[in-house]
Amino acid sequence: MTEREDIDALAAEYVLGTLDAGERAAVAARMRREPALATAIAGWERRLSPLLTAIAPLQPPAGLLARIEAAIDERERAPASASPGGPGVVELQRRLSRWRGAAVAASALAASLALFVGYREWRALSEPANFVGVFQKDDVSPAFLLAVDLKTRQLTIRRISAEPQPGKAYQLWIASARTAGRPESLGLIGDREHKVDLARRDFDPAILQTATFGVSLEPAGGSPTGQPSPGALHTKLMPALP
Amino acid sequence: MLATASELVDLVARTARRDRTAFAALYGATSAKLFGIVHRILQRREVAEEVLQEVYVTIWERAGDFDPARASPITWMATIARNRALDQARRRSHVPLDEAPEALQVASEDKSPLDAALVSDDYRRLLDCLEGLDAERKQMVLLAYRDGLSREALAQRFAKPVATVKTWLHRSLIQLRQCLGA
């Protein structure tokens, strides 16, 4: 087969849908750099898309548009910056999101939260990450700061004002589309920074942008049930300060 | 809410200019179609809803990239939806329900103008060309494209090795391209 035929065959299988996950990702990446492949794919989409006519429409749930708009809001809103010239309270808006299986309630975390995080500390954590999340008990007491670099898919979380609890551990969770919202553990958060390689765990950026992250307080070895204990704090990613 | 192709082009253009009302209208006009496509592939309601949410966020972000000269707006949107659904379906963690999807669904009687943007001669010509394939190979192509079955699922379904599925699909697609003539 000539190279042109190879590219066309690959494009056809991509559009048809039968490539596996790795092959799909490879094609998606190549498509951006190779106009010949992009053109071949466009050609196959044009040929096959009439088949979509016969697929019956299905009404999505009534609240979905609101969730979409909320996701867009978070993407577009930048957190308000603190007054320059010294540490102060960083006020960040938090958006409640669905958190399956755990009620958001007053918890043992509440007792241990201090009030302030310095602006500088915020900046230090959020560079070079381009998305951040804040776990707050209320508007003025960030317990943890989360930073995610969506390009490298590296996550860092740091305990800010949450106090260590003897005999207990803070555990980080993610609830996303890939598990239909069921929380997956991302490990225990120690005293220092806790880092997670999300690329190794097969999370792609689109999933991370709409995922909900949670922190729960668990017995020393982590959750005995494999799911977060009630009272977890949660957050979603929003763009970091420029 | 029904919308013609040119109305959709206008809504996409206004969405690109960050008009939230236009975006909501675009959603109203197209979400059932896109949800049908996504749900058909994923079969699980909650996952399909999460994926549909991501699809519309992507549409919001990429509205400025849409070029009406290259594709109709609904095809552009449906492609984003299909690709996202397939990415999800191909994840190791995705478990499809064990249901047999209908092989060839008859198009609904009340064809909306939305479908008219997809249909016409192109659809008829494609169906004719599909008829030129062996029955099993035609089934395979339809199950792959509309239901998002993987090579492994098709191999199981047709009791053939995966390599045979690959060959059949490859040859069928070449035949379709020759038949369509473009």
Side-chain angles (χ1 to χ4, degrees):
Chain A
M1 271 206 294
T2 66
E3 200 198 327
R4 204 188 64 180
E5 285 165 346
D6 278 337
I7 287 177
D8 195 72
L10 183 64
E13 264 215 275
Y14 175 77
V15 172
L16 189 66
T18 48
L19 297 182
D20 65 35
E23 289 167 332
R24 282 186 68 77
V27 168
R30 279 182 63 183
M31 196 166 69
R32 282 186 266 277
R33 303 187 310 260
E34 295 178 33
L37 182 57
T39 303
I41 287 172
W44 279 105
E45 279 168 2
R46 191 178 31 87
R47 280 175 207 111
L48 297 179
S49 62
L51 289 176
L52 298 175
T53 306
I55 296 182
L58 185 63
Q59 211 49 242
L64 190 64
L65 178 59
R67 276 155 44 195
I68 292 164
E69 288 174 334
I72 290 170
D73 283 340
E74 289 192 22
R75 212 165 279 263
E76 311 240 301
R77 191 192 327 121
S81 45
S83 54
V89 175
V90 177
E91 260 191 30
L92 294 148
Q93 285 176 280
R94 174 177 66 140
R95 191 170 282 276
L96 277 176
S97 51
R98 265 184 313 138
W99 181 254
R100 288 178 232 262
V104 176
S107 70
L109 286 169
S112 60
L113 295 176
L115 291 185
F116 300 103
V117 66
Y119 177 68
R120 266 210 215 141
E121 181 153 28
W122 164 261
R123 284 303 307 259
L125 186 65
S126 64
E127 286 168 342
N130 44 18
F131 281 84
V132 294
V134 181
F135 295 91
Q136 294 179 188
K137 171 64 188 66
D138 54 54
D139 281 337
V140 291
S141 49
F144 298 87
L145 285 182
L146 178 80
V148 178
D149 183 330
L150 279 189
K151 280 204 209 76
T152 61
R153 290 176 279 159
Q154 299 304 304
L155 177 153
T156 307
I157 182 166
R158 188 186 295 164
R159 185 178 59 78
I160 302 297
S161 56
E163 291 301 309
Q165 304 279 308
K168 289 181 175 280
Y170 292 108
Q171 187 162 3
L172 179 65
W173 305 84
I174 181 171
S176 72
R178 77 175 204 181
T179 56
R182 188 180 45 81
E184 298 177 78
S185 173
L186 294 180
L188 301 181
I189 306 164
D191 270 356
R192 320 214 112 267
E193 280 183 351
H194 173 62
K195 288 182 182 288
V196 183
D197 182 340
L198 295 167
R200 271 264 219 84
R201 308 221 3 194
D202 205 24
F203 283 100
D204 74 15
I207 291 283
L208 295 172
Q209 280 178 321
T210 56
T212 299
F213 294 87
V215 174
S216 64
L217 190 59
E218 306 291 349
S223 167
T225 63
Q227 287 293 283
S229 296
L233 297 182
H234 55 75
T235 190
K236 290 174 82 96
L237 294 181
M238 54 189 160
L241 290 165
Chain B
M1 182 223 257
L2 303 180
T4 63
S6 60
E7 283 169 354
L8 290 177
V9 169
D10 176 60
L11 288 175
V12 172
R14 289 203 277 139
T15 298
R17 294 196 291 271
R18 292 320 178 221
D19 181 339
R20 293 289 196 116
T21 310
F23 178 67
L26 183 65
Y27 175 87
T30 58
S31 56
K33 187 72 189 182
L34 264 49
F35 194 51
I37 289 168
V38 167
H39 184 264
R40 177 109 177 213
I41 290 172
L42 294 173
Q43 295 183 318
R44 306 193 93 97
R45 267 255 167 187
E46 280 177 350
V47 182
E49 288 171 18
E50 295 275 2
V51 169
L52 192 70
Q53 179 179 322
E54 289 171 28
V55 165
Y56 276 95
V57 173
T58 300
I59 286 168
W60 168 265
E61 290 181 336
R62 289 205 219 148
D65 297 338
F66 171 66
D67 181 356
R70 281 176 156 201
S72 74
I74 191 62
T75 302
W76 175 71
M77 296 173 74
T79 300
I80 293 173
R82 259 196 95 240
N83 277 324
R84 195 55 66 80
L86 286 168
D87 287 340
Q88 175 64 30
R90 292 290 166 266
R91 287 189 186 289
R92 270 172 280 127
S93 53
H94 180 75
V95 180
L97 298 174
D98 194 8
E99 281 173 10
E102 302 107 69
L104 227 193
Q105 219 175 328
V106 176
S108 66
E109 287 307 312
D110 53 310
K111 207 167 287 179
S112 74
L114 191 65
D115 282 340
L118 280 174
V119 180
S120 71
D121 301 326
D122 286 341
Y123 186 35
R124 255 173 274 130
R125 206 178 308 137
L126 179 56
L127 285 180
D128 286 343
C129 288
L130 279 164
E131 286 305 310
L133 298 173
D134 287 345
E136 263 193 323
R137 299 190 193 208
K138 180 180 88 172
Q139 280 272 71
M140 227 184 239
V141 168
L142 290 173
L143 285 171
Y145 188 79
R146 291 205 296 226
D147 298 283
L149 261 62
S150 64
R151 287 179 199 134
E152 290 72 25
L154 289 169
Q156 234 182 358
R157 184 71 173 265
F158 290 89
K160 297 267 182 291
V162 170
T164 304
V165 167
K166 244 197 124 171
T167 307
W168 278 21
L169 288 174
H170 176 64
R171 289 193 189 147
S172 303
L173 290 167
I174 289 179
Q175 198 175 324
L176 282 177
R177 195 187 64 212
Q178 281 168 353
C179 174
L180 289 168

